[in-house]
Amino acid sequence: VGLVRDSDRSVRLRDEHLPGSNETAYDFMATDLEVMAGDFSLPGAGSPVYGRIFPQHRVVAYYGNSSTPLLGVLGETGPEAAVGRVLAAAAPFVTPDRPVIGAFELIASVAQASAGSDGDYSAPTALEDLQPWIDTARASGLIVILDIQPGRSSFVDEVKRYEPLLRQPGVGLALDPEWRMGPNQVPAQVIGSVDASEVNEVSAWLSDIVLEEGLPEKLFILHQFTFSMITNRDQLIARPGLVNVIHVDGIGSQSLKLQTYGFLHMDPQPWYNGFKLFIDEDTNMFTPAEVFAKVEPVPDLITYQ
């Protein structure tokens, strides 16, 4: 039986086999450690998929929809070929203190210019089309992030389409408020937005899944490149079991991207930072060496689109 005492960050374990003492105290050495109870005999132990993501690792992801190259580099190949491309992109970001995990960020629900049969201006991807990417990623030590562009639907409703996939280890979630439309808005005609209250509803639902299933922690990512994309951002709640990331998005020159990152990155933990690199659209795209030298703080998550 153990108790955690938050006042001094200690764990106190009952030890009946220690003569003269009923209790042994162990101090935490870092404030980011969590105490978890349960059976931790996990398959694949030692793989990053089953371990802590940040700050022990850095993540490098390729972004896109699996059915078309128009939405990102993941649409250019199948999952097996994509593994090699992601790992090659990730290699320059390895440092002695932070190994790198590769990732697929798959656009699961894609915003549309027309209403569609259900009128929500978003097209979901069939679960059976996403599962092979998840299986390939897991077999290769990569993680998967399901990216949601909900159109006029809510993030809450759209995310729940993918519950069977999100109940699997190594499958995280990204919300893209650019494509969260109001009742009279159309994707690509305006930049969308979401309030922190809706994000918190999604994160509570996902955190409950992680805790109920006893899953390894999941990436939970919010894309942002303008202040207005996330209203009441200071009210966002960092949930247990989730690795919470503000992902600074947006196309532009190095100076413009650094300015945007300077305004929008989060500091300090429990929020981490992401940075997106657009292979075709950025002006003088950052090299890995330039990311380390110029982007402060150095992002925890780097995504190529």
Side-chain angles (χ1 to χ4, degrees):
V1 176
L3 295 174
V4 182
R5 191 163 74 180
D6 282 336
S7 60
D8 62 0
R9 299 296 294 167
S10 67
V11 181
R12 298 181 179 271
L13 300 180
R14 184 174 179 179
D15 187 353
E16 296 178 348
H17 302 288
L18 185 64
S21 175
N22 294 325
E23 185 181 88
T24 303
Y26 297 88
D27 292 333
F28 275 115
M29 300 305 292
T31 58
D32 70 315
L33 294 177
E34 287 185 46
V35 174
M36 302 178 70
D39 182 350
F40 296 100
S41 179
L42 290 171
S47 163
V49 172
Y50 295 97
R52 300 207 62 192
I53 299 175
F54 299 144
Q56 286 84 346
H57 302 88
R58 185 166 280 112
V59 173
V60 174
Y62 263 27
Y63 177 96
N65 179 268
S66 59
S67 63
T68 173
L70 297 177
L71 298 176
V73 288
L74 285 185
E76 296 175 354
T77 70
E80 291 79 9
V83 168
R85 298 183 73 188
V86 170
L87 293 178
F93 289 95
V94 174
T95 60
D97 61 328
R98 290 187 80 171
V100 172
I101 306 172
F104 297 152
E105 184 170 350
L106 289 161
I107 312 173
S109 289
V110 185
Q112 305 290 305
S114 57
S117 59
D118 55 6
D120 66 1
Y121 288 82
S122 181
T125 302
L127 272 60
E128 57 266 28
D129 292 336
L130 294 167
Q131 188 64 57
W133 287 81
I134 295 170
D135 294 340
T136 300
R138 185 177 297 121
S140 305
L142 276 66
I143 56 180
V144 171
I145 305 149
L146 300 182
D147 189 273
I148 307 298
Q149 301 177 356
R152 291 186 184 176
S153 180
S154 72
F155 277 120
V156 178
D157 292 339
E158 199 65 23
V159 163
K160 289 182 178 180
R161 294 179 185 269
Y162 304 100
E163 181 174 350
L165 305 182
L166 291 166
R167 285 189 176 273
Q168 299 179 34
V171 182
L173 182 65
L175 308 184
D176 198 340
E178 177 184 3
W179 308 104
R180 169 61 167 99
M181 299 291 105
N184 299 310
Q185 295 176 332
V186 175
Q189 293 186 10
V190 296
I191 296 172
S193 66
V194 67
D195 189 72
S197 59
E198 185 173 322
V199 175
N200 289 339
E201 189 175 352
V202 174
S203 66
W205 176 84
L206 187 62
S207 174
D208 286 346
I209 286 177
V210 174
L211 300 180
E212 287 169 8
E213 300 283 352
L215 295 171
E217 60 186 10
K218 293 181 178 291
L219 281 173
F220 180 67
I221 299 167
L222 301 176
H223 289 284
Q224 186 176 21
F225 59 86
T226 69
F227 286 111
S228 62
M229 284 173 61
I230 305 174
T231 55
N232 298 306
R233 196 178 82 157
D234 61 327
Q235 297 177 23
L236 290 171
I237 299 172
R239 305 287 186 185
L242 305 184
V243 185
N244 307 280
V245 179
I246 291 292
H247 196 285
V248 180
D249 212 329
I251 298 167
S253 65
Q254 288 196 5
S255 60
L256 178 60
K257 292 174 76 79
L258 288 174
Q259 184 180 48
T260 304
Y261 187 76
F263 284 132
L264 295 178
H265 79 273
M266 291 286 250
D267 191 39
Q269 300 174 17
W271 288 86
Y272 296 90
N273 294 296
F275 194 63
K276 183 175 279 192
L277 301 174
F278 289 84
I279 296 170
D280 295 325
E281 290 86 359
D282 275 349
T283 303
N284 189 23
M285 186 183 76
F286 287 91
T287 66
E290 288 173 328
V291 170
F292 283 113
K294 297 182 179 181
V295 185
E296 177 60 36
V298 177
D300 305 284
L301 164 66
I302 297 96
T303 303
Y304 285 93
Q305 179 172 346

